[in-house]
Amino acid sequence: DSGITNKNITYSYENLLKSLKYMIEGGLRSVIIIGGGEPTLFSRFGDIVRFLKEHGVQVAISSNGSRNRVIHNIADCLNGQDWVRLSLDSGSNETFLRLHNPKTAVSLDEICAWVPRIRARNPKLSIGFSFVIVWKSGNLSKISNIDEIVMAAERARRYGFSYISFKPFLMRG
């Protein structure tokens, strides 16, 4: 998705609803809401999620967790087939801040502290901790997090995440 993400493209709410209605009529059954930025920044995020659920669409949300209050506010309309995955990629706050460089002041602890609240609002909702493994290799100038895998798994367990996923960071040749 690198060709379409982070392009500062926005859609009007009306056009988005029209497109979703068209796709639902054509058989759309599930949607992964991902941003190329943070999808919960869209001012009508909650309305879109509720619209999709009212039309029987399975919803998945990939978020950086910085606006978990928004996810908490819509958790009641999600069901056991829906999921939320937080892209955290670290076990420590220091590595989280270096890897993600958040635009607003937020810590890994603050993000994770929302998980029990969201799960209390909807115990059926699956909430995942996503960890893309990066390491310094050759000319790759990424911040290494490979030494924080165990720490991240312990954090995921402590805060009540449903699962943790580990994926390698791959470079295109």
Side-chain angles (χ1 to χ4, degrees):
D1 61 359
S2 63
I4 59 171
T5 58
N6 296 314
K7 299 294 184 194
N8 200 23
I9 299 169
T10 58
Y11 299 94
S12 75
Y13 179 69
E14 293 74 24
N15 284 342
L16 188 53
L17 277 186
K18 190 186 317 183
S19 294
L20 288 170
K21 285 179 189 175
Y22 178 77
M23 289 185 282
I24 289 167
E25 289 168 2
L28 179 70
R29 299 287 180 257
S30 67
V31 170
I32 299 176
I33 301 174
I34 189 167
E38 176 54 33
T40 61
L41 287 170
F42 182 62
S43 63
R44 304 288 302 264
F45 174 84
D47 295 330
I48 292 295
V49 171
R50 291 187 188 282
F51 172 84
L52 291 167
K53 294 312 299 176
E54 288 166 6
H55 288 84
V57 176
Q58 179 186 3
V59 173
I61 302 165
S62 179
S63 169
N64 66 21
S66 64
R67 294 172 43 90
N68 274 340
R69 178 181 308 282
V70 175
I71 293 172
H72 178 268
N73 290 342
I74 54 92
D76 63 309
C77 76
L78 302 173
N79 62 43
Q81 295 180 337
D82 302 316
W83 54 263
V84 172
R85 184 181 63 234
L86 303 181
S87 301
L88 303 175
D89 310 314
S90 54
S92 72
N93 190 57
E94 295 74 27
T95 300
F96 171 77
L97 292 174
R98 288 178 64 214
L99 279 170
H100 291 276
N101 194 24
K103 293 178 182 175
T104 58
V106 65
S107 72
L108 184 58
D109 290 320
E110 291 169 322
I111 291 169
C112 292
W114 275 99
V115 172
R117 291 189 239 170
I118 295 167
R119 290 184 60 103
R121 182 159 179 159
N122 185 346
K124 295 178 184 176
L125 182 60
S126 177
I127 304 175
F129 186 120
S130 178
F131 189 110
V132 175
I133 304 165
V134 292
W135 58 94
K136 292 184 179 182
S137 174
N139 292 331
L140 185 62
S141 61
K142 285 286 177 185
I143 298 162
S144 179
N145 67 0
I146 196 166
D147 295 332
E148 295 193 4
I149 290 173
V150 172
M151 192 184 323
E154 290 168 347
R155 177 180 290 276
R157 180 183 298 127
R158 183 170 65 250
Y159 282 101
F161 282 83
S162 307
Y163 66 91
I164 186 167
S165 65
F166 296 101
K167 298 169 241 161
F169 178 80
L170 303 173
M171 291 289 295
R172 292 190 176 137

